[in-house]
Amino acid sequence: MSLTPLRQVFPWRIPFAYCLLALFLASCQTTTSTSEERPPNIVIIFADDMGYGDLGTYGNPTIRTPQLDQMAEEGLKFFQFYTGASVCTPSRAALLTGRLPIRYGMVSDRIRVLFPFSYKGLPEEEITLAEALKAQNYATGIVGKWHLGHLPPYLPLKNGFDSFYGLPYSNDMIPTPDAKWAPPRKYPPLPLMDGDKVLETNPDQRLLTKKYTEKAIDFIEEHKNEPFFLYMPHSFPHVPLFASSDFEGKSSRGLYGDVVEELDWSVGEVLKALKARGLAENTLVIFTSDNGPWLTEKQEGGSAGLLHQGKGSTWEGGMREPMIAWWPDKIAPGTTQSLATTMDIYATAVSLAGGSLPTDREMDGVDLSPLFNDPTAEIRDEVIYYLGAQVFAIRKGPWKMHLKTLNPYIGEQAVAHDPPLLYQLEHDPSERFNLAENHPEVIAELKAILAQHQSGVKPVQSVLDDIDESYFE
Ligand code: MG
């Protein structure tokens, strides 16, 4: 009896084995390429009304911010980083649309921000960063203060976010004598929301930072296996100030210091959560603030350090902010003097996610990522400073020209400057020495750039002006 070769008995066997091997290799290939191609997570932590001089790493002598100091050591620290506006609503709009708020009416010369008595919010046509990243299959969540419209059509879940936990607007819009900008009795109770639902009203604000931190970590845990965008706009250090019992009374800077130190703790917890899940090397974390310190709050407001003025103004203290970009192995530790803005964060995140910027509208941001390897790269050399619906100032390179100046919070009227004021910000960061007379050629150049910008801005109706007027009766 002769032995029959196996392949004659089971002729399908070897090809089958090859098939299995091929399938196995293909699955390995797929797994490998998926993990390589997974775009980075994006985390944006946005303080409220925190000034340029409020962190240890930016020179504050008494507020302890070890977590942010460490983040700055490991990441890229910006010295010339700007927000899109010097108050909450338009600043948040700029960050989340990558566009100046003037382009879609999120500005007004009468009503600075959205209120509980506002009828509108971010126009539906705007493509928020959450929507842009969702189109790239990101999970999207916001934990914190929204302030782009509190009525149902304008809430975060209508703007590309899968989840929302936090306040629909500022923490001072409460029915107490602390409320500033409308008769206090007329403010409704402050809602703490989960999605579109109100969880409770007038929540204990001492617990807000802790609750936001827990929710942010829950979000990271829940979405650790997919690309995610976590937007974390804190309610503080906007007044009224509250810190939890772990922080209250601990800072030598008083309650403001307690609040900032708790925010610093929170940043550390978020970074820890990313590291513990092996996500740090695939996550870009940004920390910055929406506008400068509210100086009229005196010791309860922050500090812009050596910069002039604060919230509500187009002096440097109103719109230049601390900014730290952290991404281990991808961002070389260092500092940068390059100009950048919150609108650039939008362009950067969309690009990292593999998307592209909309081409049917003017965009105002540029991709920051060349700075990640070369902090001397020049990303942009112009910044335009709007206050309400008007351009008040423009910067090109080191030169800043003010056409008008104003701080509305101290009851000033706008002052028009003709000739404009001109400062060399690298020599004179505090804007003290007007050089207009010496440099008419710089003024002419800046005016020409501004005229070109303004020719590309079409007037649109203000969203902020649409309010229940009875609140002012
Ligand atoms: Mg603010």
Side-chain angles (χ1 to χ4, degrees), residues 68-366:
L68 283 157
D69 298 354
Q70 174 84 17
M71 184 181 167
E73 288 274 306
E74 295 170 2
L76 184 62
K77 178 162 78 164
F78 289 68
F79 286 112
Q80 319 245 14
F81 185 84
Y82 292 89
T83 57
S86 63
V87 289
C88 297
T89 295
S91 174
R92 282 144 210 276
L95 170 72
L96 284 187
T97 64
R99 283 154 48 81
L100 286 165
I102 185 75
R103 299 194 189 279
Y104 42 91
M106 291 297 274
V107 286
S108 157
D109 291 330
R110 184 169 73 112
I111 309 285
R112 282 183 281 278
V113 296
L114 289 168
F115 285 92
F117 47 81
S118 298
Y119 286 135
K120 295 251 176 77
L122 189 68
E124 198 188 339
E125 304 76 46
E126 288 307 305
I127 302 167
T128 67
L129 182 53
E131 288 167 330
L133 294 178
K134 204 155 180 49
Q136 303 300 319
N137 299 314
Y138 274 58
T140 55
I142 162 174
V143 176
K145 164 180 160 178
W146 174 236
H147 215 179
L148 291 174
H150 70 289
L151 295 177
Y154 305 107
L155 283 168
L157 301 197
K158 297 288 192 307
N159 278 290
F161 288 99
D162 301 325
S163 62
F164 167 43
Y165 177 90
L167 306 182
Y169 41 71
S170 299
N171 65 326
D172 65 337
M173 296 175 178
I174 44 177
T176 75
D178 289 338
K180 293 184 180 63
W181 307 111
R185 65 186 177 279
K186 290 191 175 179
Y187 276 129
L190 178 68
L192 175 64
M193 304 187 72
D194 186 353
D196 288 339
K197 295 194 184 67
V198 175
L199 286 176
E200 59 178 306
T201 54
N202 298 331
D204 183 347
Q205 293 202 28
R206 291 173 300 180
L207 304 179
L208 276 184
T209 299
K210 269 197 174 7
K211 285 183 173 175
Y212 290 172
T213 309
E214 280 165 20
K215 294 289 176 183
I217 293 169
D218 288 350
F219 178 88
I220 291 168
E221 170 61 22
E222 199 177 325
H223 299 287
K224 63 186 177 189
N225 294 323
E226 59 188 326
F228 61 79
F229 167 43
L230 171 62
Y231 173 46
M232 197 177 182
H234 277 283
S235 287
F236 298 120
H238 193 291
V239 293
L241 300 173
F242 292 97
S244 72
S245 56
D246 290 344
F247 291 88
E248 191 179 347
K250 301 284 165 64
S251 170
S252 56
R253 168 62 173 82
L255 183 55
Y256 186 88
D258 298 339
V259 168
V260 173
E261 290 182 10
E262 187 159 21
L263 293 180
D264 179 70
W265 162 82
S266 172
V267 171
E269 293 302 295
V270 170
L271 298 187
K272 208 191 292 176
L274 293 168
K275 288 176 189 163
R277 289 161 184 78
L279 298 171
E281 282 71 26
N282 200 32
T283 304
L284 169 63
V285 184
I286 301 274
F287 177 88
T288 186
S289 176
D290 69 334
N291 53 253
W294 206 345
L295 299 177
T296 48
E297 297 299 321
K298 301 178 181 156
Q299 291 193 54
E300 301 221 319
S303 164
L306 81 174
L307 305 180
H308 186 49
Q309 268 287 351
K311 173 173 178 168
S313 87
T314 46
W315 295 97
E316 290 297 283
M319 292 173 62
R320 209 203 284 191
E321 286 296 325
M323 148 67 162
I324 303 166
W326 181 91
W327 186 359
D329 298 342
K330 292 288 184 351
I331 293 184
T335 60
T336 181
Q337 296 289 346
S338 293
L339 297 189
T341 75
T342 50
M343 292 166 282
D344 303 334
I345 295 173
Y346 183 106
T348 309
V350 169
S351 157
L352 289 171
S356 46
L357 293 178
T359 52
D360 63 344
R361 59 195 71 198
E362 293 283 339
M363 298 301 292
D364 295 298
V366 289

Side-chain angles (χ1 to χ4, degrees), residues 43-69:
V43 176
I44 300 175
I45 305 174
F46 210 43
D48 193 349
D49 292 7
M50 200 190 75
Y52 190 77
D54 283 329
L55 301 180
T57 183
Y58 281 83
N60 192 287
T62 48
I63 302 178
R64 296 164 300 182
T65 53
Q67 303 297 335
L68 283 157
D69 298 354

